[in-house]
Amino acid sequence: MRALRYYEEHAPLTPDRAPRSQRHYPHSAVARVHLIQQLYPVGLSSRTIHDLLLPCVLDGQATPELPHRLTKQRDTLTTKLTTLTTTRDTLDQVIANAEANLRTEEACGGGG
């Protein structure tokens, strides 16, 4: 619930209000919240989401600089993905070396 309030403050997510201030979100809010939840963890700020993506996604609004700014965001994500992949591959090699080391110790009668 706290996340929805945050999204209301920082992204175009506006519920209808019932008489006792209960929030009622339109069905379209589900897809919007899902998109926001995909974008935050990969490093897009609430400002970027609000200013760049949601206007375009919600009602097709685009400014001349929008494609350039979105491409820049995408390129930043691509760089992060490359770094993460390289780090994962390095970790895989360290794990393989550690496992090989343990097998060698066990074969030599070590093991602990």
Side-chain angles (χ1 to χ4, degrees):
M1 187 66 167
R2 192 177 339 176
L4 289 176
R5 287 189 198 125
Y6 180 84
Y7 299 156
E8 287 176 29
E9 292 175 17
H10 295 93
L13 183 65
T14 307
D16 294 326
R17 296 286 182 164
R20 297 181 191 225
S21 292
Q22 289 179 318
R23 293 169 172 87
H24 293 280
Y25 296 93
H27 184 68
S28 62
V30 174
R32 193 171 316 150
V33 167
H34 182 68
L35 175 63
I36 292 167
Q37 289 178 332
Q38 286 180 305
L39 298 173
Y40 277 134
V42 297
L44 272 72
S45 68
S46 58
R47 170 67 64 195
T48 298
I49 294 167
H50 182 271
D51 292 349
L52 297 180
L53 286 176
L54 290 179
C56 187
V57 169
L58 295 179
D59 51 17
Q61 294 178 1
T63 59
E65 76 274 358
L66 182 66
H68 173 71
R69 292 179 68 190
L70 290 175
T71 298
K72 186 176 176 182
Q73 290 293 323
R74 193 234 14 242
D75 292 347
T76 299
L77 287 175
T78 299
T79 300
K80 287 179 182 181
L81 282 168
T82 300
T83 301
L84 284 170
T85 300
T86 300
T87 303
R88 184 207 53 212
D89 293 347
T90 300
L91 187 55
D92 284 345
Q93 188 59 52
V94 170
I95 291 167
N97 291 344
E99 290 172 342
N101 187 322
L102 289 173
R103 283 192 301 275
T104 301
E105 285 181 13
E106 289 172 0
C108 294

Coordinates of all heavy atoms in Angstrom, one line a residue, residues 2-55:
R2 N 2.0 1.2 0.7 CA 2.9 2.3 0.8 C 3.4 2.7 -0.6 O 3.6 3.8 -1.0 CB 4.0 2.0 1.7 CG 4.8 3.2 2.1 CD 5.9 3.0 3.1 NE 5.7 1.8 3.9 CZ 6.5 1.3 4.8 NH1 7.6 1.9 5.0 NH2 6.2 0.3 5.5
A3 N 3.7 1.6 -1.4 CA 4.2 1.8 -2.8 C 3.2 2.5 -3.6 O 3.5 3.4 -4.4 CB 4.6 0.5 -3.4
L4 N 1.9 2.2 -3.5 CA 0.9 2.8 -4.3 C 0.8 4.3 -3.9 O 0.7 5.2 -4.8 CB -0.4 2.2 -4.1 CG -0.6 0.8 -4.7 CD1 -1.9 0.2 -4.3 CD2 -0.4 0.8 -6.2
R5 N 1.0 4.6 -2.6 CA 0.9 6.1 -2.3 C 2.1 6.8 -2.8 O 2.0 7.9 -3.3 CB 0.9 6.2 -0.7 CG -0.4 5.8 -0.1 CD -0.5 6.2 1.3 NE -1.5 5.4 1.9 CZ -1.4 4.6 3.0 NH1 -0.3 4.5 3.6 NH2 -2.5 4.0 3.4
Y6 N 3.3 6.1 -2.8 CA 4.5 6.7 -3.4 C 4.3 6.9 -4.9 O 4.6 8.0 -5.4 CB 5.7 5.8 -3.2 CG 7.0 6.3 -3.8 CD1 7.7 7.2 -3.1 CD2 7.4 6.0 -5.0 CE1 8.9 7.8 -3.6 CE2 8.6 6.5 -5.6 CZ 9.3 7.4 -4.9 OH 10.5 7.9 -5.4
Y7 N 3.7 6.0 -5.6 CA 3.4 6.1 -7.0 C 2.5 7.3 -7.3 O 2.6 8.0 -8.3 CB 2.9 4.8 -7.7 CG 3.8 3.6 -7.5 CD1 3.3 2.4 -7.6 CD2 5.2 3.8 -7.4 CE1 4.2 1.3 -7.5 CE2 6.0 2.7 -7.3 CZ 5.5 1.4 -7.3 OH 6.4 0.4 -7.2
E8 N 1.5 7.4 -6.4 CA 0.6 8.5 -6.6 C 1.3 9.9 -6.5 O 1.0 10.8 -7.2 CB -0.5 8.5 -5.5 CG -1.5 7.4 -5.6 CD -2.5 7.4 -4.5 OE1 -2.7 8.4 -3.8 OE2 -3.0 6.3 -4.2
E9 N 2.3 10.0 -5.6 CA 3.0 11.2 -5.5 C 4.0 11.4 -6.6 O 4.3 12.6 -7.0 CB 3.8 11.2 -4.1 CG 3.0 11.2 -2.9 CD 3.8 11.1 -1.6 OE1 5.0 11.3 -1.7 OE2 3.1 10.8 -0.6
H10 N 4.6 10.4 -7.2 CA 5.7 10.5 -8.1 C 5.4 10.1 -9.5 O 6.3 10.2 -10.4 CB 6.9 9.8 -7.6 CG 7.5 10.3 -6.3 ND1 7.0 9.9 -5.1 CD2 8.3 11.3 -6.0 CE1 7.6 10.6 -4.1 NE2 8.4 11.5 -4.7
A11 N 4.3 9.5 -9.7 CA 4.0 9.1 -11.1 C 2.5 9.3 -11.3 O 1.7 9.4 -10.4 CB 4.3 7.6 -11.2
P12 N 2.1 9.3 -12.5 CA 0.6 9.6 -12.8 C -0.2 8.4 -12.5 O -0.6 7.6 -13.3 CB 0.6 9.9 -14.3 CG 1.8 9.4 -14.9 CD 2.8 9.3 -13.8
L13 N -0.5 8.2 -11.2 CA -1.3 7.1 -10.7 C -2.4 7.8 -9.8 O -2.0 8.2 -8.7 CB -0.5 6.1 -10.0 CG -1.3 4.8 -9.5 CD1 -1.8 4.0 -10.7 CD2 -0.4 4.0 -8.7
T14 N -3.5 8.0 -10.3 CA -4.5 8.7 -9.6 C -5.8 7.9 -9.4 O -6.5 7.5 -10.3 CB -5.0 10.0 -10.4 OG1 -3.8 10.7 -10.7 CG2 -5.9 10.9 -9.5
P15 N -6.0 7.5 -8.1 CA -7.2 6.7 -7.8 C -8.4 7.6 -7.6 O -8.4 8.8 -7.4 CB -6.9 6.1 -6.4 CG -6.0 7.1 -5.8 CD -5.2 7.8 -6.9
D16 N -9.6 7.0 -7.8 CA -10.8 7.6 -7.4 C -11.0 7.5 -5.9 O -10.4 6.5 -5.3 CB -12.0 6.9 -8.1 CG -12.0 7.1 -9.6 OD1 -11.5 8.2 -10.1 OD2 -12.4 6.2 -10.4
R17 N -11.7 8.4 -5.3 CA -11.9 8.3 -3.9 C -13.3 7.9 -3.5 O -14.3 8.5 -4.0 CB -11.5 9.6 -3.2 CG -10.1 10.0 -3.3 CD -9.2 9.2 -2.4 NE -7.8 9.7 -2.6 CZ -6.9 9.4 -1.7 NH1 -7.2 8.7 -0.7 NH2 -5.7 9.8 -1.9
A18 N -13.5 7.0 -2.6 CA -14.8 6.6 -2.1 C -15.1 7.6 -1.0 O -14.3 8.3 -0.5 CB -14.8 5.2 -1.7
P19 N -16.4 7.5 -0.5 CA -16.8 8.5 0.5 C -15.9 8.5 1.8 O -15.6 9.5 2.4 CB -18.2 8.0 0.9 CG -18.7 7.4 -0.3 CD -17.5 6.7 -1.0
R20 N -15.3 7.3 2.1 CA -14.4 7.3 3.3 C -12.9 7.3 3.0 O -12.1 6.8 3.7 CB -14.7 6.0 4.1 CG -16.2 6.0 4.7 CD -16.4 4.8 5.4 NE -17.8 4.6 5.7 CZ -18.3 4.3 6.9 NH1 -17.5 4.1 7.9 NH2 -19.6 4.3 7.0
S21 N -12.6 8.0 1.9 CA -11.3 8.2 1.4 C -10.6 6.9 0.9 O -9.4 6.8 0.8 CB -10.4 8.9 2.4 OG -10.8 10.2 2.6
Q22 N -11.4 5.8 0.7 CA -10.8 4.6 0.2 C -10.4 4.9 -1.3 O -11.1 5.6 -2.0 CB -11.8 3.5 0.2 CG -12.1 2.9 1.6 CD -13.1 1.8 1.5 OE1 -14.1 1.9 0.8 NE2 -12.9 0.8 2.3
R23 N -9.3 4.3 -1.6 CA -8.8 4.5 -3.0 C -9.4 3.4 -3.9 O -9.4 2.2 -3.5 CB -7.3 4.4 -3.0 CG -6.6 5.5 -2.3 CD -5.1 5.2 -2.2 NE -4.4 6.4 -1.7 CZ -4.2 6.6 -0.4 NH1 -4.7 5.9 0.5 NH2 -3.5 7.7 -0.1
H24 N -9.8 3.8 -5.1 CA -10.2 2.8 -6.1 C -9.5 3.1 -7.4 O -9.6 4.2 -7.9 CB -11.8 2.9 -6.3 CG -12.6 2.5 -5.1 ND1 -12.8 1.2 -4.8 CD2 -13.2 3.2 -4.1 CE1 -13.5 1.1 -3.7 NE2 -13.7 2.3 -3.3
Y25 N -8.7 2.1 -7.8 CA -7.8 2.3 -8.9 C -8.5 1.7 -10.2 O -9.1 0.7 -10.1 CB -6.5 1.7 -8.7 CG -5.7 2.3 -7.6 CD1 -5.7 1.8 -6.3 CD2 -4.8 3.4 -7.9 CE1 -5.0 2.3 -5.3 CE2 -4.1 4.0 -6.8 CZ -4.2 3.4 -5.6 OH -3.5 4.0 -4.5
P26 N -8.4 2.4 -11.3 CA -8.9 1.8 -12.5 C -8.1 0.6 -12.9 O -6.9 0.4 -12.5 CB -8.7 3.0 -13.5 CG -7.6 3.8 -13.0 CD -7.7 3.7 -11.5
H27 N -8.7 -0.2 -13.8 CA -8.0 -1.4 -14.2 C -6.7 -1.1 -14.9 O -5.7 -1.9 -14.8 CB -8.9 -2.3 -15.1 CG -8.3 -3.5 -15.6 ND1 -8.1 -4.6 -14.7 CD2 -7.8 -3.9 -16.8 CE1 -7.5 -5.6 -15.4 NE2 -7.3 -5.2 -16.6
S28 N -6.6 0.0 -15.6 CA -5.4 0.4 -16.3 C -4.2 0.6 -15.3 O -3.1 0.6 -15.7 CB -5.6 1.6 -17.1 OG -6.0 2.7 -16.3
A29 N -4.5 0.9 -14.1 CA -3.5 1.2 -13.1 C -2.6 -0.1 -12.8 O -1.4 0.0 -12.5 CB -4.1 1.6 -11.7
V30 N -3.2 -1.3 -13.0 CA -2.4 -2.5 -12.8 C -1.2 -2.5 -13.8 O -0.1 -2.8 -13.3 CB -3.3 -3.7 -13.0 CG1 -2.4 -5.0 -12.9 CG2 -4.4 -3.8 -12.0
A31 N -1.4 -2.3 -15.0 CA -0.3 -2.3 -16.0 C 0.7 -1.2 -15.7 O 1.9 -1.4 -15.9 CB -0.9 -2.2 -17.4
R32 N 0.2 0.0 -15.3 CA 1.0 1.1 -15.0 C 1.9 0.8 -13.8 O 3.1 1.1 -13.8 CB 0.2 2.3 -14.7 CG 0.9 3.6 -14.7 CD 0.0 4.8 -14.6 NE -1.1 4.7 -15.6 CZ -2.3 5.2 -15.3 NH1 -2.5 5.9 -14.3 NH2 -3.3 5.0 -16.2
V33 N 1.4 0.2 -12.8 CA 2.2 -0.1 -11.6 C 3.2 -1.2 -12.0 O 4.3 -1.1 -11.5 CB 1.2 -0.6 -10.4 CG1 2.0 -1.3 -9.3 CG2 0.4 0.6 -9.9
H34 N 2.8 -2.2 -12.8 CA 3.7 -3.2 -13.2 C 4.9 -2.6 -14.0 O 6.1 -2.9 -13.7 CB 3.0 -4.2 -14.1 CG 3.9 -5.3 -14.5 ND1 4.4 -6.3 -13.7 CD2 4.4 -5.6 -15.8 CE1 5.1 -7.1 -14.4 NE2 5.2 -6.8 -15.6
L35 N 4.6 -1.6 -14.9 CA 5.7 -1.0 -15.6 C 6.6 -0.2 -14.6 O 7.8 -0.3 -14.7 CB 5.1 0.0 -16.6 CG 6.1 0.9 -17.4 CD1 7.0 0.0 -18.2 CD2 5.4 1.9 -18.3
I36 N 6.0 0.5 -13.7 CA 6.8 1.3 -12.7 C 7.7 0.3 -11.9 O 8.9 0.6 -11.7 CB 5.9 2.1 -11.8 CG1 5.2 3.2 -12.6 CG2 6.7 2.7 -10.7 CD1 4.1 3.9 -11.9
Q37 N 7.2 -0.8 -11.5 CA 7.9 -1.8 -10.7 C 9.0 -2.4 -11.5 O 10.0 -2.9 -11.0 CB 7.0 -2.8 -10.1 CG 6.1 -2.3 -9.0 CD 5.1 -3.3 -8.5 OE1 4.7 -4.2 -9.2 NE2 4.8 -3.1 -7.2
Q38 N 8.9 -2.5 -12.8 CA 10.0 -3.0 -13.7 C 11.1 -2.0 -13.8 O 12.3 -2.3 -14.0 CB 9.5 -3.3 -15.1 CG 8.6 -4.6 -15.2 CD 8.2 -4.8 -16.6 OE1 7.5 -3.9 -17.2 NE2 8.5 -6.0 -17.1
L39 N 10.7 -0.7 -13.8 CA 11.7 0.4 -14.1 C 12.5 0.8 -12.9 O 13.7 1.1 -13.1 CB 11.0 1.5 -14.8 CG 10.3 1.2 -16.1 CD1 9.5 2.4 -16.6 CD2 11.3 0.8 -17.1
Y40 N 11.9 0.9 -11.8 CA 12.7 1.3 -10.6 C 13.9 0.5 -10.3 O 15.0 1.0 -10.1 CB 11.8 1.4 -9.3 CG 11.0 2.6 -9.2 CD1 9.6 2.5 -8.9 CD2 11.5 3.9 -9.4 CE1 8.8 3.7 -8.7 CE2 10.7 5.0 -9.2 CZ 9.4 4.9 -8.9 OH 8.6 6.0 -8.7
P41 N 13.8 -0.9 -10.2 CA 14.9 -1.7 -9.9 C 16.1 -1.6 -10.8 O 17.2 -1.9 -10.5 CB 14.4 -3.1 -9.8 CG 12.9 -3.0 -9.8 CD 12.6 -1.7 -10.4
V42 N 15.9 -1.2 -12.1 CA 17.0 -1.1 -13.0 C 17.6 0.2 -13.1 O 18.4 0.5 -13.9 CB 16.5 -1.6 -14.4 CG1 16.1 -3.1 -14.4 CG2 15.4 -0.7 -15.0
G43 N 17.2 1.1 -12.2 CA 17.9 2.4 -12.0 C 17.2 3.6 -12.6 O 17.8 4.7 -12.5
L44 N 16.0 3.5 -13.1 CA 15.3 4.7 -13.6 C 14.7 5.4 -12.4 O 14.0 4.7 -11.6 CB 14.3 4.3 -14.7 CG 14.8 4.3 -16.1 CD1 15.7 3.1 -16.3 CD2 13.7 4.3 -17.1
S45 N 14.9 6.6 -12.3 CA 14.4 7.4 -11.2 C 12.9 7.7 -11.4 O 12.4 7.6 -12.5 CB 15.1 8.7 -11.1 OG 14.8 9.6 -12.2
S46 N 12.2 8.0 -10.3 CA 10.8 8.3 -10.4 C 10.6 9.5 -11.4 O 9.7 9.6 -12.1 CB 10.2 8.6 -9.1 OG 10.9 9.7 -8.4
R47 N 11.6 10.5 -11.3 CA 11.5 11.6 -12.2 C 11.6 11.2 -13.7 O 10.8 11.7 -14.5 CB 12.6 12.6 -11.9 CG 12.8 13.8 -12.9 CD 11.6 14.7 -12.9 NE 11.6 15.4 -11.6 CZ 10.5 16.1 -11.2 NH1 9.4 16.2 -12.0 NH2 10.5 16.6 -10.0
T48 N 12.5 10.3 -14.0 CA 12.6 9.8 -15.4 C 11.4 9.1 -15.8 O 10.9 9.3 -16.9 CB 13.9 8.9 -15.5 OG1 15.0 9.6 -15.2 CG2 14.0 8.3 -16.9
I49 N 10.9 8.3 -15.0 CA 9.7 7.5 -15.3 C 8.5 8.5 -15.5 O 7.8 8.4 -16.5 CB 9.3 6.5 -14.2 CG1 10.4 5.4 -14.1 CG2 7.9 5.9 -14.4 CD1 10.3 4.6 -12.9
H50 N 8.4 9.4 -14.6 CA 7.3 10.4 -14.7 C 7.4 11.3 -16.0 O 6.5 11.5 -16.7 CB 7.2 11.3 -13.5 CG 6.1 12.2 -13.4 ND1 6.2 13.5 -14.0 CD2 4.9 12.1 -13.0 CE1 5.1 14.1 -13.8 NE2 4.2 13.3 -13.2
D51 N 8.6 11.8 -16.2 CA 8.8 12.8 -17.3 C 8.9 12.1 -18.7 O 8.5 12.7 -19.6 CB 10.1 13.6 -17.0 CG 9.9 14.5 -15.8 OD1 8.8 14.7 -15.3 OD2 10.9 15.1 -15.4
L52 N 9.5 11.0 -18.7 CA 9.8 10.4 -20.0 C 8.9 9.3 -20.5 O 8.3 9.4 -21.6 CB 11.2 9.8 -20.1 CG 12.4 10.8 -19.8 CD1 13.7 10.0 -19.9 CD2 12.3 11.9 -20.9
L53 N 8.8 8.3 -19.7 CA 8.1 7.1 -20.1 C 6.5 7.2 -20.0 O 5.8 6.9 -21.0 CB 8.6 5.9 -19.3 CG 9.9 5.4 -19.7 CD1 10.4 4.3 -18.9 CD2 9.9 4.9 -21.2
L54 N 6.1 7.5 -18.8 CA 4.6 7.4 -18.6 C 3.8 8.3 -19.5 O 2.8 7.8 -20.1 CB 4.3 7.6 -17.2 CG 4.8 6.4 -16.3 CD1 4.4 6.7 -14.8 CD2 4.2 5.1 -16.7
P55 N 4.2 9.5 -19.8 CA 3.4 10.3 -20.7 C 3.3 9.7 -22.1 O 2.2 9.6 -22.7 CB 4.1 11.7 -20.8 CG 4.8 11.8 -19.5 CD 5.2 10.4 -19.2

